[in-house]
Amino acid sequence: MKPIKHVEIVDELNRLMAEELEAFLRYFQLRYRLRGVDKLAAENFFQKAMDETLEHAEAIAAHIRVLGETPKLNIKLEVGGGPVSLKEALNDALIFEQQALNAYKDMLPRVAGDPGLEDFIRKQIATETEHVQEIAMLLE
Amino acid sequence: MTETWKEFEANEVTHSVAHHLVAIHEVGREYGGWARVSDIARWLGITRGSVSINLRNIKVRGLVIEDDHRQVKLSEQGLKIAQAIMAKKAAVKAFLRDVINVPEEQAEIDSCKVEHLISQSTGENLFRFIKFLTSDDPAARQALSQFRKFEDS
């Protein structure tokens, strides 16, 4: 895959930031769809997931600033739905995290040679891989 | 064409589902019908996460199939629905642009808004009406010509 131009890097980073912030919003809403014991059991998991997605989004926004641009957020999201079980919620979480991981993996070869970004994307891949594995394990 | 309309009426398709089916159809055009989530997301201007969540429900309804690489393709039923949506969109757009002179860009936007909302019978009637109006039938030519004059007056 060819290295990408400055404007394309910024576009990709904006898309990654949107993935993270949308995941944050989905986690935020999803935890209110849990009931009873499931809600109690998942409280820490969801709080941590929200904290991390927000941290990731901030890190991406900071990279966009370093590139001399302003983060541009494009999210079209409407989430509803009734109560869900913990298993259903984790299945949703697995989808967000897997897609974030895929997005970072796709980005990696495109930023090869840019030390700051390449290092950042590698770290994100490691972190997201851990998240995916953790959720997959919880679903076993 | 009639069979496609009938199939479509049997399915309740939301705006979101309609867009996803058409996106898969368009994105997959060059790849034997197969589309990647990232490309669908880009085509729709939404995140991969949203596409994946939406695709889950679309898969359950049997409208798409998935391969081992997580690429998706329209099922036979999904393809019929996508084609019906696109046919209705084309009919509405042609009416707006060619009959009532709505600019191309606005016709595209407005036809997109109603493509999945109008009924089978309305779609078929509209299609026939446009076919007639844009035909060589002298009455059709005269009607269009009269309308243009009326517009200019």
Side-chain angles (χ1 to χ4, degrees):
Chain A
M1 203 177 280
K2 287 180 188 172
I4 49 179
K5 294 176 190 166
H6 174 87
V7 65
E8 289 171 345
I9 288 176
V10 174
D11 282 349
E12 288 293 336
L13 287 172
N14 276 321
R15 272 192 275 274
L16 285 170
M17 185 180 67
E19 293 284 348
E20 295 285 4
L21 284 172
E22 190 176 295
F24 169 84
L25 293 170
R26 285 185 183 276
Y27 277 127
F28 176 86
Q29 193 262 357
L30 196 52
R31 68 187 174 144
Y32 285 99
R33 294 172 64 194
L34 292 166
R35 296 283 186 273
V37 180
D38 277 355
K39 183 169 169 52
L40 267 179
E43 197 69 41
N44 285 342
F45 170 84
F46 276 87
Q47 191 56 55
K48 189 177 151 213
M50 284 168 56
D51 292 346
E52 286 181 355
T53 48
L54 203 53
E55 273 172 31
H56 294 173
E58 285 193 8
I60 297 165
H63 273 279
I64 295 171
R65 281 288 298 274
V66 167
L67 291 169
E69 306 290 339
T70 305
K72 187 175 161 189
L73 187 57
N74 180 12
I75 291 180
K76 293 171 190 143
L77 181 67
E78 187 180 325
V79 280
V84 286
S85 68
L86 182 53
K87 193 176 176 185
E88 288 169 318
L90 288 174
N91 267 316
D92 276 9
L94 185 58
I95 290 175
F96 324 146
E97 297 293 347
Q98 184 65 58
Q99 285 308 323
L101 173 59
N102 293 347
Y104 286 118
K105 279 182 175 172
D106 283 354
M107 180 85 172
L108 184 61
R110 309 189 77 187
V111 294
D114 180 323
L117 264 179
E118 191 177 337
D119 185 47
F120 170 67
I121 299 293
R122 278 189 194 285
K123 281 179 184 160
Q124 291 301 103
I125 290 173
T127 308
E128 297 295 350
T129 302
E130 268 180 37
H131 288 173
V132 167
Q133 286 170 345
E134 185 189 352
I135 299 168
M137 201 174 68
L138 290 170
L139 281 166
E140 276 174 1
Chain B
M1 176 62 83
T2 306
E3 285 308 304
T4 310
W5 289 112
K6 279 180 186 167
E7 286 289 329
F8 181 51
E9 196 176 50
N11 292 279
E12 193 183 323
V13 176
T14 62
H15 194 71
S16 169
V17 171
H19 272 192
H20 280 70
L21 295 180
V22 171
I24 294 166
H25 186 271
E26 294 302 303
V27 169
R29 205 180 271 275
E30 289 176 34
Y31 308 99
W34 292 100
R36 298 185 307 176
V37 168
S38 55
D39 293 330
I40 300 167
R42 204 175 291 248
W43 202 89
L44 291 170
I46 60 176
T47 64
R48 294 174 182 223
S50 275
V51 171
S52 284
I53 291 282
N54 296 335
L55 280 179
R56 184 177 55 184
N57 300 326
I58 296 172
K59 271 184 263 179
V60 168
R61 292 176 62 179
L63 302 179
V64 295
I65 51 172
E66 189 176 49
D67 71 3
D68 296 339
H69 304 289
R70 295 192 172 163
Q71 294 191 105
V72 292
K73 185 180 185 175
L74 296 174
S75 67
E76 199 177 322
Q77 191 191 0
L79 181 61
K80 280 180 182 172
I81 295 172
Q83 285 171 336
I85 293 164
M86 290 188 294
K88 284 202 283 189
K89 183 180 175 184
V92 174
K93 187 176 172 182
F95 176 77
L96 298 175
R97 185 192 55 206
D98 303 337
V99 179
I100 61 170
N101 278 337
V102 173
E104 170 86 25
E105 198 179 335
Q106 193 61 47
E108 172 69 26
I109 292 167
D110 290 344
S111 59
C112 181
K113 286 177 186 168
V114 299
E115 65 192 5
H116 66 292
L117 293 174
I118 59 173
S119 69
Q120 172 190 331
S121 57
T122 301
E124 284 182 336
N125 285 352
L126 187 59
F127 183 74
R128 277 198 296 273
F129 180 62
I130 295 164
K131 204 173 165 187
F132 163 71
L133 267 186
T134 53
S135 71
D136 287 334
D137 188 301
R141 285 179 168 270
Q142 194 185 0
L144 256 184
S145 165
Q146 287 295 108
F147 176 65
R148 299 276 179 262
K149 280 180 192 162
F150 175 78
E151 265 194 319
D152 293 340
S153 64

